[in-house]
Amino acid sequence: MSAAIEINNVEKAFPVKDGNSVVALHDVSLSVPAGEFVSIIGPSGCGKSTLLYIIAGFSSFDSGSVSVNGKPVTGPGTDRGIVFQEYALFPWLTVLGNAMYGLRHRDLSKQEQREIAQQHIKDIGLEGFEHRYPKELSGGMKQRVAIARTLACDPDILLLDEPFGALDSQTREVMQDQLLRIWQETGKTVVMVTHDVGEAVFCSQRLVVMHARPGRVKSEVRVDIDRDRPREQVMVSEEFNEIRNDVWLSVREEVALTARTRR
Amino acid sequence: MTSMTTVAPGKSSSLSAKGGRRAGRLVIGVLKYVAPLAILALLWQSLSWLGVLNPKTVPSFFSVVAAVVDLVAEGEIFRHLIVTIYRAELGLALGVVLGVGLGLAMARLRSVYHVSYPLVALTYTLPKTALIPIVFLWLGVGDASSVFVVFIGAFVPIVITTFHGAESVQENLVWSARSMGASSQRVLWTVIFPAALPQILNGVRIAQAFSIVIVISAEMVASYVGVGRFIFVFGEAGNYDYMFAAISIVIAAAFVLDRLFLLLKGRLLRWAETEGASR
C-alpha cells in the first residue's frame, strides 16, 4: 500500500526577537501508510503541533519535503480534515450550519447537503441538536460537531490536534471510543497529536515519540493490541499496560530533559 | 434564556403570580432608570425657585417641560427631526458600507493596510465638525453637506473597529474553513466578517451617536431645515426654554435610536457567547 503521508528530512525554524531563530523541527521524517492510525506524542515544545500544521498545509517549512497522496503539500486541502483542541466551530452557525459548511461549495443541492450533514450529526450522536448554536453545547458536544463537520467533507486523512485535551476524562473516553469506531468503519488515515499516553496507546497502531528542542523523532512504537474487545478489557490487559508504561517512561524522560535545559 | 421558576400548587394562580412578578420587575427597572433623572430635575427646579439660576439664561425645569409640551402639540419640530434623522442615518449607512469594506481590506491586504493606516490614524483625531464650513463651501447648503460630514465622522471609527475585529479572528477558524475547501473570498465573507461582527457593531453604535452630534452641529452652522437649525433659531432669539425643549426632544430621539440599534445588535449576535443583557 502506498503512503498517504510522506515526510522527508523536514526542517523548520521560527524567528524570534533579536534576529535569532528557534529550531522547531530538525530532520523529521515520517511515512504514514493509507488507513493507519498514528499518534504523535511528546513534551510540549517538541514541535508535534507544528508538524501536524505542516501536513495540513497551514505552516510552511524551511527544507525537506512533505507530500500527501503523492502530491507535494502547498496549502490546506479537502483531502485533509482538521480537528482542533479548541473545536474551532463557527459560533454564528448552528450545529447543522457547521456540519454543512464544507458542503456548500460542492456540486450538491441544498437538500443533499442537508441530508449528508444530518447523517453525520446523527452518527456522532447529536440528533435533535441540529438547530442549537455552539454556545449552547458542552465541550464534548462541541467536539462532536467539529468531528461531524470534518467527516461531512469526507477527507482521506484526519488530522487531530489534541482533540480531546479540553474534555474531562469520562467524556474523553467516550470520544476515543467513538473515534476508534469511525476509524474502523471508514478506514481513513488518522494522525493524532496528543500528550495523553494512555489515549495514544489505546487509539493508535503506531506511536511516534518526539524529542524536544529541537523537535525530532526519538522513537517509534508499534501497538499491536486486539481492539475488538471492549475498552475495559483492553485497558487492564498486560500488553496495553506494558506498552503504555514504556512509552510513558520515554515521554517522561523527554519532559525531565526539557525541564532541565529550560533552567 | 428562560429561567426556571418553581411551580406553586394551582397552575392558574402561579401563572398570574409570574405575570405579576414580571410586571413588578418592569416597574422597578423603569424606576431605576427614571429616579436619577427625577432627582436631577428636582434639583434643577429647586435652584430656579431659590433664584440661584437666572431665568433669563437658564430656564426652570417646569418651563422647559411646558415648552416641550407646546412643541410636541404644535408638531413643527417633527418635520425637522425627520430631516435630521434622515441625514444622520444616511451618512451612517454610507460610513458602515465603506468603513466595513476598508476595514476588512486593511486586515486582509498588506498593501491596503500600509496605504490606509496613516490616513485613518490621522483622521481619527481630526475634529470632524471643523470641516463643516468648508464642506458647505464645496457642496452647498443642504442634505449633501450634512450627510458628507456625518459620513466622515462615522467612517473612521467603523474602519478601526472592523480592522481590529477582522485582525483578531482566531487563526484556526480560518484554517478550518480552508481545509473544508473554502476560497479566500468565501473565508472573508463567511468567517472573517461574522467573526468581526461583534466589534463592528460596537463601532456602529458609537458612530451612530457621533452622527447625531455631527448633523446637529452642521445644521446649526448652515441649514434651512433640521433640528439643529431649530435649536439655533431659538437660541438666537433668546427663547432658551424652547431651545432646551428642542434639545430634550433630540436627546429622547437619540435614545430611542440607540435602543433600536441595541435590539438589532442583540438579534444579529444571538449566537455570541457574551451577548447577554445589552446596555
Side-chain angles (χ1 to χ4, degrees):
Chain A
M1 194 165 258
S2 68
I5 302 166
E6 194 71 63
I7 300 165
N8 287 309
N9 316 104
V10 161
E11 300 275 337
K12 164 90 182 168
F14 284 111
V16 288
K17 45 186 179 196
D18 327 322
N20 291 324
S21 63
V22 163
V23 179
L25 296 172
H26 173 63
D27 196 23
V28 173
S29 295
L30 180 68
S31 175
V32 183
E36 193 183 36
F37 194 134
V38 185
S39 286
I40 303 173
I41 194 160
S44 58
C46 72
K48 53 191 192 294
S49 288
T50 306
L51 183 60
L52 196 77
Y53 293 171
I54 286 175
I55 301 170
F58 305 149
S59 294
S60 62
F61 49 97
D62 303 327
S63 66
S65 69
V66 178
S67 59
V68 166
N69 293 325
K71 275 175 275 173
V73 168
T74 53
T78 49
D79 51 349
R80 287 150 288 151
I82 180 93
V83 174
F84 292 102
Q85 179 179 349
E86 315 80 20
Y87 327 119
L89 296 177
F90 304 126
W92 50 89
L93 297 178
T94 59
V95 170
L96 186 63
N98 270 282
M100 281 170 70
Y101 186 87
L103 302 167
R104 286 276 160 83
H105 36 251
R106 303 240 174 133
D107 213 6
L108 295 166
S109 72
K110 209 69 201 188
Q111 186 57 33
E112 286 169 314
Q113 290 176 16
R114 189 180 290 268
E115 275 166 19
I116 295 170
Q118 209 111 38
Q119 189 55 48
H120 285 282
I121 290 167
K122 196 179 156 194
D123 274 355
I124 204 105
L126 283 178
E127 213 177 356
F129 291 92
E130 287 88 347
H131 302 294
R132 298 285 186 93
Y133 283 103
K135 74 165 176 184
E136 301 166 312
L137 305 177
S138 68
M141 288 161 92
K142 282 183 195 166
Q143 197 56 292
R144 276 168 217 240
V145 178
I147 293 171
R149 178 177 75 172
T150 300
L151 289 174
C153 299
D154 197 24
D156 296 336
I157 299 168
L158 284 180
L159 304 173
L160 313 175
D161 186 17
E162 309 228 12
F164 312 133
L167 308 178
D168 64 79
S169 55
Q170 280 75 34
T171 310
R172 196 182 299 187
E173 288 186 356
V174 173
M175 297 295 290
Q176 288 163 2
D177 292 344
Q178 223 157 11
L179 176 63
L180 263 184
R181 180 180 60 78
I182 290 164
W183 171 64
Q184 282 164 342
E185 284 173 9
T186 60
K188 290 184 191 299
T189 310
V190 181
V191 180
M192 177 167 76
V193 163
T194 179
H195 56 250
D196 182 335
V197 177
E199 173 172 282
V201 176
F202 183 79
C203 294
S204 33
Q205 294 174 298
R206 184 158 59 112
L207 303 179
V208 176
V209 181
M210 286 188 70
H211 192 90
R213 286 150 208 280
R216 56 185 186 272
V217 175
K218 183 191 183 194
S219 59
E220 295 194 16
V221 182
R222 286 233 133 259
V223 188
D224 285 316
I225 53 174
D226 173 16
R227 290 199 175 76
D228 290 331
R229 297 170 291 175
R231 167 183 279 276
E232 45 296 357
Q233 280 182 33
V234 174
M235 302 255 317
V236 298
S237 71
E238 219 165 281
E239 35 172 8
F240 172 85
N241 284 292
E242 207 172 296
I243 299 169
R244 199 197 71 92
N245 293 347
D246 283 353
V247 175
W248 184 79
L249 282 171
S250 178
V251 172
R252 163 133 193 95
E253 213 174 85
E254 286 307 311
V255 173
L257 215 70
T258 328
R260 217 174 306 142
T261 51
R262 223 173 246 175
R263 247 170 252 153
Chain B
M1 265 250 219
T2 53
S3 59
M4 296 280 283
T5 39
T6 46
V7 177
K11 255 188 183 160
S12 58
S13 70
S14 86
L15 271 177
S16 67
K18 204 167 142 190
R21 235 174 293 152
R22 186 171 298 164
R25 266 205 302 271
L26 189 72
V27 168
I28 290 169
V30 170
L31 276 179
K32 269 187 189 163
Y33 227 102
V34 169
L37 296 177
I39 291 168
L40 191 71
L42 195 70
L43 200 68
W44 178 2
Q45 187 61 40
S46 309
L47 290 175
S48 296
W49 273 329
L50 293 170
V52 179
L53 300 174
N54 179 353
K56 285 218 174 86
T57 52
V58 186
S60 74
F61 173 71
F62 285 145
S63 65
V64 172
V65 170
V68 168
V69 172
D70 198 27
L71 284 179
V72 169
E74 186 221 19
E76 169 77 0
I77 191 166
F78 295 114
R79 192 171 69 84
H80 293 277
L81 195 59
I82 284 167
V83 172
T84 299
I85 289 173
Y86 160 75
R87 289 167 172 170
E89 296 296 318
L90 183 61
L92 178 67
L94 289 172
V96 169
V97 171
L98 295 173
V100 168
L102 181 63
L104 289 177
M106 279 171 69
R108 298 312 285 172
L109 303 169
R110 285 275 109 190
S111 53
V112 176
Y113 171 81
H114 285 302
V115 172
S116 319
Y117 193 79
L119 290 172
V120 171
L122 281 177
T123 326
Y124 191 50
T125 47
L126 170 85
K128 280 72 171 179
T129 43
L131 293 177
I132 292 168
I134 193 79
V135 171
F136 277 119
L137 205 63
W138 295 339
L139 299 176
V141 176
D143 287 352
S145 331
S146 304
V147 170
F148 182 76
V149 184
V150 169
F151 159 70
I152 300 284
F155 178 71
V156 177
I158 293 170
V159 169
I160 290 172
T161 52
T162 304
F163 170 68
H164 288 300
E167 231 201 6
S168 58
V169 173
Q170 280 176 54
E171 198 137 51
N172 57 18
L173 291 183
V174 175
W175 284 344
S176 295
R178 298 285 289 160
S179 288
M180 288 188 278
S183 63
S184 45
Q185 189 74 10
R186 186 159 183 250
V187 168
L188 181 62
W189 293 113
T190 63
V191 178
I192 293 167
F193 175 68
L197 195 58
Q199 291 208 49
I200 292 174
L201 293 179
N202 284 336
V204 176
R205 186 184 179 195
I206 294 164
Q208 180 168 260
F210 277 4
S211 301
I212 305 283
V213 173
I214 292 172
V215 78
I216 287 177
S217 309
E219 287 169 353
M220 287 178 81
V221 173
S223 186
Y224 304 115
V225 284
V227 167
R229 172 79 191 152
F230 210 67
I231 293 169
F232 183 76
V233 168
F234 284 129
E236 282 287 274
N239 284 334
Y240 296 123
D241 42 359
Y242 279 87
M243 191 187 87
F244 275 102
I247 292 171
S248 308
I249 291 170
V250 169
I251 291 171
F255 178 79
V256 170
L257 286 175
D258 187 52
R259 289 282 123 176
L260 286 175
F261 182 76
L262 284 181
L263 280 178
L264 176 74
K265 180 172 167 241
R267 182 107 199 101
L268 290 172
L269 298 182
R270 61 190 185 281
W271 49 268
E273 301 271 358
T274 48
E275 201 56 31
S278 35
R279 287 156 193 279

